[in-house]
Amino acid sequence: MLRRTLKALDPDGFHDVAYVEWGDPRLRSAVVCVHGLTRNGRDFDALASALAAEGRRVICPDIVGRGKSGRLRNPVHYGYPQYCADMAALLARLDVDHVDWVGTSMGGLIGMLLASRPGHPIRRLVMNDVGPFIPKAALERIASYVSLDPAFPDLEAAEQAFRRTYAGFGDLTDAQWRHLVRHGTVRRADGSLGFVYDPGIALAFTAAPLGDMDLWPAWDLVSCPTLVLRGADSDLLSAETAAEMAERGPKAQIVEIPNCGHAPALMDEGQIEVVRAYLLAEGRPVPFPGSKPVIEPASSP
């Protein structure tokens, strides 16, 4: 695993975009794994390690304002236009012919928006517990914690907060929770621990009243093969939205992951196998043990 950084442009100057790279950097294709709203690229260590062992090059960026990436001088610019532009700069840096994209929540929407544009390099798209319609209630839940900036006296206190905030990740082991906490916190000048993201990312949730997010027009422009993972208890990606995603746009294949809400952490061996099989076999997922049957894409008329 190598740690790298690139300079990306925003309206007020340049900022750093940090990423980790697994596998052979000479390969002309890569898997790009992009995290959720308040998370960072180290969430994908287990998945990236498994894919690298299969001979794949894997790139896991920290979106600006998160992890080891820089922060924007003006938080009003935190949003999908900036995120997509940064990821376009990353793809140019990688010098690849095409990529497979794995995105959790926000990372899935970034992939969807890029894949809706003409000439995109995304060969296959995996969207983890997110879709083109997000209900107001789910956005309000996220808004209730994303602007908080608590200080924790130690890792144990931080871990308890992580377990509450990210309960939807599923039944993680103690070691997996510690991994998330270790890479999801930063030591402050006073010795306390805080979240490793800029509270300014919350501006998009607080600047105006929230409503349903409807991105169906972008979804309908996506044509690459697409796999959608849905946490069985998710409040962000409803079963109805997932079913509609199988009927329109790229007509995605759907796998429902049991014992998870928003969003499956992709750290469990079974969840990793679903993604691995889709990307490395023939673009067809294997059912997760105990999951509902895979929803196959609708047949063309």
Side-chain angles (χ1 to χ4, degrees):
M1 182 187 73
L2 299 175
R3 295 178 176 86
R4 300 186 184 277
T5 305
L6 64 85
K7 292 288 186 182
L9 182 64
D10 63 70
D12 300 305
F14 285 86
H15 57 270
D16 289 336
V17 175
Y19 62 98
V20 293
E21 180 166 2
W22 303 70
D24 186 348
R26 298 169 298 180
L27 293 176
R28 298 285 298 177
S29 66
V31 181
V32 178
C33 301
V34 184
H35 58 80
L37 179 68
T38 62
R39 303 300 309 140
N40 62 81
R42 299 303 300 273
D43 285 7
F44 294 104
D45 278 6
L47 175 62
S49 178
L51 293 174
E54 298 278 357
R56 296 302 305 271
R57 181 185 181 191
V58 187
I59 311 297
C60 305
D62 293 342
I63 296 298
V64 63
R66 290 84 166 171
K68 296 188 179 301
S69 287
R71 298 187 177 191
L72 296 179
R73 295 165 182 84
N74 186 346
V76 73
H77 299 307
Y78 284 121
Y80 288 98
Q82 184 66 58
Y83 305 155
C84 288
D86 286 359
M87 291 301 96
L90 174 62
L91 294 174
R93 156 69 71 85
L94 298 178
D95 190 25
V96 291
D97 299 322
H98 52 74
V99 299
D100 293 331
W101 190 283
V102 179
T104 294
S105 195
M106 178 188 73
L109 291 181
I110 296 170
M112 181 190 76
L113 292 171
L114 292 174
S116 72
R117 304 298 294 171
H120 69 82
I122 298 177
R123 179 176 59 176
R124 288 190 289 261
L125 173 63
V126 179
M127 297 179 64
N128 182 24
D129 206 63
V130 71
F133 182 83
I134 300 177
K136 174 184 176 182
L139 295 174
E140 289 176 335
R141 176 182 59 79
I142 295 170
S144 71
Y145 72 82
V146 69
S147 61
L148 301 179
D149 190 22
F152 305 107
D154 49 40
L155 285 171
E156 289 72 20
E159 181 176 329
Q160 292 306 310
F162 270 61
R163 287 175 181 259
R164 291 190 300 271
T165 302
Y166 303 116
F169 284 11
D171 298 326
L172 305 186
T173 66
D174 290 343
Q176 289 167 341
W177 280 116
R178 284 192 292 270
H179 176 88
L180 295 176
V181 173
R182 186 166 61 252
H183 295 290
T185 56
V186 62
R187 185 72 63 180
R188 295 172 168 172
D190 64 0
S192 66
L193 293 171
F195 292 132
V196 67
Y197 65 83
D198 183 354
I201 66 175
L203 188 60
F205 293 84
T206 59
L210 292 172
D212 297 337
M213 178 184 290
D214 188 338
L215 297 175
W216 283 112
W219 176 256
D220 289 336
L221 293 174
V222 176
S223 59
C224 60
T226 301
L227 169 67
V228 173
L229 307 178
R230 177 180 181 269
D233 301 319
S234 177
D235 67 337
L236 191 136
L237 177 59
S238 70
E240 293 76 16
T241 296
E244 189 168 353
M245 294 170 77
E247 296 293 331
R248 57 189 286 189
K251 299 179 179 177
Q253 298 177 59
I254 314 295
V255 172
E256 189 168 273
I257 308 297
N259 304 316
C260 293
H262 181 72
L266 304 186
M267 302 175 81
D268 173 88
E269 289 184 7
Q271 296 173 23
I272 290 172
E273 177 59 18
V274 173
V275 178
R276 189 204 66 82
Y278 184 75
L279 296 182
L280 301 181
E282 297 180 356
R284 296 181 62 82
V286 295
F288 184 80
S291 69
K292 293 184 178 180
V294 174
I295 301 175
E296 297 289 353
S299 58
S300 301

